[in-house]
Amino acid sequence: MSTRILSALAVLVLTSNLGMASPEMTERAKKFIDDHTRKLRPLEVASNKAWWDANVSGMKEDFDRKEEAQNKIDEILAD
């Protein structure tokens, strides 16, 4: 085997593990995603329901509810 092929294989083997996180980091990431989902999901449901109500009824109160719910979502996403 040529030196270039061996070098390329060595680089491939050495760098393939660089993308793997430690179990602790993986657990932190999972917790972050779970916490984020737990906060965001109820707001998404409320926002979508308000959007539906506003588009069906055309009432200003429903559009205000949609705007309020969307602002809460935007606040969380901006953090």
Side-chain angles (χ1 to χ4, degrees):
M1 225 180 247
S2 76
T3 306
R4 285 186 182 189
I5 293 175
L6 287 175
S7 296
L9 286 173
V11 169
L12 183 63
V13 168
L14 291 173
T15 59
S16 65
N17 290 332
L18 293 178
M20 296 181 64
S22 67
E24 295 83 17
M25 188 59 78
T26 300
E27 190 57 38
R28 284 181 59 199
K30 287 170 108 176
K31 183 181 179 328
F32 172 81
I33 291 170
D34 290 344
D35 291 345
H36 186 74
T37 301
R38 199 172 3 269
K39 287 189 285 188
L40 199 57
R41 181 169 282 145
L43 295 175
E44 288 282 354
V45 170
S47 176
N48 288 328
K49 184 175 183 324
W51 175 88
W52 179 266
D53 291 344
N55 283 287
V56 170
S57 73
M59 295 174 55
K60 181 181 179 337
E61 296 82 17
D62 291 332
F63 282 101
D64 290 344
R65 275 190 315 118
K66 166 59 178 145
E67 182 178 1
E68 182 180 333
Q70 186 61 52
N71 287 341
K72 289 179 183 177
I73 291 170
D74 292 345
E75 184 179 324
I76 288 174
L77 294 177
D79 184 9

